[in-house]
Amino acid sequence: MQRQECIVNYTDISYDDKPHEECGVFGIFDPDRQAVLETYYGLFALQHRGQESAGITVSDGQEMQTFKGMGLVTEVFRNLPEEEGYIGIGHVRYSTTGSSVPCNVQPLQAEGQHGSFALAHNGNLTNTISLRRRLLQGGSTFQTTMDTEVIIKLLARSRENRIEDQIKEVMREIRGAYALVSCTNHALYGVRDPYGYRPLVIGKTEHGWVLASETPALDLIGATFYRDVQPGEIITIDEKGVHSEFFTGHKPAHGGICSFEYIYFARPDSIMNGQSIYEARLEMGRQLWKEAHFDGDVVMSVPDSGNVAAMGYAEASGIPFGEGLLKNKYMGRTFIKPGQKNREIAVRMKLNPIRRNVEGKRIVLIDDSIVRGTTSGIIINLLRKMGAREINLLISSPPVCYPCFFGIDTAERKQLIGAKYPVDKIREIIGADKLHYLSEEGLAKAIKEIPKEDMCMACFNGRYPEAVPGWGLDKETGEPVNE
């Protein structure tokens, strides 16, 4: 948690063939609780959303302190700061904009016209280039490479008197995905972009309030779910309670709620925008059976994200569910040098087949997605080496054919196997006997509590809710252009 220079200290890369979690944010205002401890617990519950770094800012109403570092929550805070304070915000990070280096760890703390304030951001701005250039031309300097610092600079420069009006002014300038938690020495704030790309919920403690990316963070600290922050809403929490305002420059928009939260990112025990993640994934498995009817001796999952969909498929098909791949639960972030053999070692470090359950079996294998296709083939080969007679692969999402610009690190389009090849060719490349992806219609039926028109499925169909780089933004300026 010491001050560190902004230097990249590793060059190897991880070969986990998944879209990477974006970030998780947490905030608390509670006079009867120790904010630093409650924020630590909240971040622990959100660890799945980012494993690169963690940070906590806490205020006692007079002074603000920020503690942060690289690594998992339990690694960064081996000795939890004994800091007095009843207002706190926290952040766990997987980088989307900005390198994975110490200077990019959030929350960021700054000074504004109302004194100290701190901010943490889940998401990704699409007009960072032009905003950053304008701020530099206006005399601003930057200590990080994150778009979060762009937001905090804009807030600090605002001439509006009310903090809520400062936020509205900034919301009129920034584009893209942002679920923000911020605090001063007197209040906690939560903000969600007008499209609602990234999640943010409100919880109630006995004498205070909580903001979090997902509901399990509320559960862990004994808070009660109150409601979701709405798209375009600004929440202020202070000694008088919760206050709500809406960003008036843009009506809440349709088509922004991220479908991949329901497929892969969110914890199964989360409830997001009124939809149980667990039930949605069960239904994805049921829909896969309705669409494909792949038969077999046993249904297996690629753990852990395929587990619930696999149970749904087993339930609908009547084929028994069995454990075929054992996951190493002590696997942290691993950096593997390039090369096919090292990719295979990386997969074996994470997953190992159970021969007794695999040998001689016709396996129906369930996974949540195929991005580059680099690990699906390795997993199928491992199962074949253990004696699997047949492997029929089902994916609980449509093919990923387009990159995400709203807070998920997928890949460039040229790296996406779904963008390069038809399904039958992908099946041939990865070595499956059969392959079926869940349709967009099946996915919409599974996420039944949210209207399809409110969902973002741009990574599947390229229909982005707003202009994005290469699909409606000028590549030089970063500004939207007419197409």
Side-chain angles (χ1 to χ4, degrees), residues 235-425:
I235 296 293
T236 302
I237 300 172
D238 57 22
E239 60 185 5
K240 295 179 181 179
V242 175
H243 319 279
S244 170
E245 297 183 28
F246 280 85
F247 168 47
T248 56
H250 194 312
K251 293 181 180 179
H254 290 298
I257 296 174
C258 176
S259 57
F260 243 107
E261 290 280 2
Y262 301 87
I263 297 163
Y264 173 64
F265 288 128
R267 280 177 45 157
D269 51 339
S270 287
I271 298 173
M272 195 170 284
N273 298 299
Q275 172 67 62
S276 161
I277 301 295
Y278 190 90
E279 181 56 40
R281 290 179 188 168
L282 272 180
E283 188 60 31
M284 289 171 202
R286 298 179 189 125
Q287 292 294 325
L288 281 171
W289 167 250
K290 290 179 181 179
E291 293 183 1
H293 272 81
F294 286 176
D295 198 10
D297 301 315
V298 62
V299 177
M300 294 179 176
S301 72
V302 177
D304 287 322
S305 54
N307 290 354
V308 182
M311 288 189 281
Y313 191 94
E315 173 195 294
S317 66
I319 303 169
F321 174 83
E323 190 174 28
L325 291 164
L326 185 67
K327 183 177 180 180
N328 183 344
K329 297 186 183 300
Y330 303 98
M331 181 83 169
R333 294 208 55 199
T334 302
F335 297 93
I336 304 295
K337 292 182 179 180
Q340 180 64 21
K341 182 173 179 59
N342 287 324
R343 290 191 188 102
E344 293 177 5
I345 291 172
V347 173
R348 288 297 292 262
M349 287 174 69
K350 188 179 227 180
L351 300 171
N352 197 42
I354 302 171
R355 183 184 291 274
R356 179 184 179 278
N357 294 350
V358 170
E359 192 170 23
K361 302 289 178 60
R362 295 177 302 142
I363 296 172
V364 177
L365 184 65
I366 312 290
D367 201 358
D368 60 88
S369 61
I370 303 176
V371 180
R372 296 171 181 85
T374 53
T375 60
S376 297
I378 295 172
I379 291 169
I380 288 171
N381 188 47
L382 287 176
L383 292 171
R384 290 205 189 279
K385 285 182 178 179
M386 287 292 170
R389 183 152 58 97
E390 184 178 292
I391 302 170
N392 299 319
L393 179 62
L394 294 125
I395 306 298
S396 59
S397 68
V400 178
C401 297
Y402 297 87
C404 177
F405 298 92
F406 304 111
I408 296 174
D409 182 19
T410 50
E412 295 180 11
R413 190 161 192 247
K414 63 183 179 182
Q415 297 176 317
L416 300 172
I417 196 169
K420 296 191 288 186
Y421 303 110
V423 173
D424 197 55
K425 181 64 176 178

Side-chain angles (χ1 to χ4, degrees), residues 48-87:
H48 61 289
R49 299 185 71 85
Q51 298 88 48
E52 288 185 352
S53 63
I56 294 172
T57 297
V58 62
S59 171
D60 62 2
Q62 300 295 324
E63 294 182 347
M64 186 176 289
Q65 296 283 336
T66 297
F67 310 92
K68 54 188 180 180
M70 300 295 293
L72 302 176
V73 174
T74 52
E75 295 169 342
V76 174
F77 300 106
R78 289 184 186 276
N79 297 306
L80 197 64
E82 295 182 5
E83 198 69 27
E84 295 295 329
Y86 61 93
I87 305 171

Side-chain angles (χ1 to χ4, degrees), residues 39-306:
T39 304
Y40 172 86
Y41 291 144
L43 294 183
F44 185 83
L46 299 171
Q47 186 73 86
H48 61 289
R49 299 185 71 85
Q51 298 88 48
E52 288 185 352
S53 63
I56 294 172
T57 297
V58 62
S59 171
D60 62 2
Q62 300 295 324
E63 294 182 347
M64 186 176 289
Q65 296 283 336
T66 297
F67 310 92
K68 54 188 180 180
M70 300 295 293
L72 302 176
V73 174
T74 52
E75 295 169 342
V76 174
F77 300 106
R78 289 184 186 276
N79 297 306
L80 197 64
E82 295 182 5
E83 198 69 27
E84 295 295 329
Y86 61 93
I87 305 171
I89 65 171
H91 188 269
V92 288
R93 182 171 192 259
Y94 179 87
S95 58
T96 52
T97 297
S99 302
S100 176
V101 291
C103 62
N104 282 341
V105 182
Q106 300 183 49
L108 297 183
Q109 186 176 327
E111 295 297 317
Q113 63 173 301
H114 297 287
S116 298
F117 72 103
L119 182 140
H121 171 213
N122 171 25
N124 195 52
L125 303 187
T126 57
N127 62 337
T128 303
I129 296 172
S130 61
L131 291 174
R132 193 179 183 94
R133 181 182 292 122
R134 195 189 81 202
L135 287 165
L136 287 168
Q137 290 171 346
S140 293
T141 58
F142 287 85
Q143 304 300 315
T144 79
T145 58
M146 296 185 295
D147 51 10
T148 309
E149 191 175 8
V150 171
I151 300 173
I152 209 165
K153 296 287 187 187
L154 291 170
L155 285 168
R157 289 166 67 96
S158 174
R159 296 181 180 275
E160 297 287 348
N161 290 322
R162 296 175 65 246
I163 292 176
E164 291 84 354
D165 291 333
Q166 293 176 4
I167 293 170
K168 290 178 184 179
E169 181 181 290
V170 172
M171 290 177 77
R172 295 186 185 100
E173 296 189 78
I174 60 179
R175 301 286 181 271
Y178 50 93
L180 309 175
V181 291
S182 179
C183 69
T184 65
N185 284 318
H186 307 289
L188 172 68
Y189 301 88
V191 186
R192 198 172 176 199
D193 69 72
Y195 287 86
Y197 293 109
R198 307 265 67 88
L200 192 62
V201 300
I202 307 171
K204 181 74 175 73
T205 61
E206 187 175 355
H207 298 107
W209 298 88
V210 180
L211 297 168
S213 292
E214 294 186 40
T215 55
L218 310 181
D219 299 335
L220 182 56
I221 69 165
T224 303
F225 173 74
Y226 183 66
R227 66 174 176 87
D228 292 276
V229 177
Q230 297 302 304
E233 188 175 16
I234 301 166
I235 296 293
T236 302
I237 300 172
D238 57 22
E239 60 185 5
K240 295 179 181 179
V242 175
H243 319 279
S244 170
E245 297 183 28
F246 280 85
F247 168 47
T248 56
H250 194 312
K251 293 181 180 179
H254 290 298
I257 296 174
C258 176
S259 57
F260 243 107
E261 290 280 2
Y262 301 87
I263 297 163
Y264 173 64
F265 288 128
R267 280 177 45 157
D269 51 339
S270 287
I271 298 173
M272 195 170 284
N273 298 299
Q275 172 67 62
S276 161
I277 301 295
Y278 190 90
E279 181 56 40
R281 290 179 188 168
L282 272 180
E283 188 60 31
M284 289 171 202
R286 298 179 189 125
Q287 292 294 325
L288 281 171
W289 167 250
K290 290 179 181 179
E291 293 183 1
H293 272 81
F294 286 176
D295 198 10
D297 301 315
V298 62
V299 177
M300 294 179 176
S301 72
V302 177
D304 287 322
S305 54

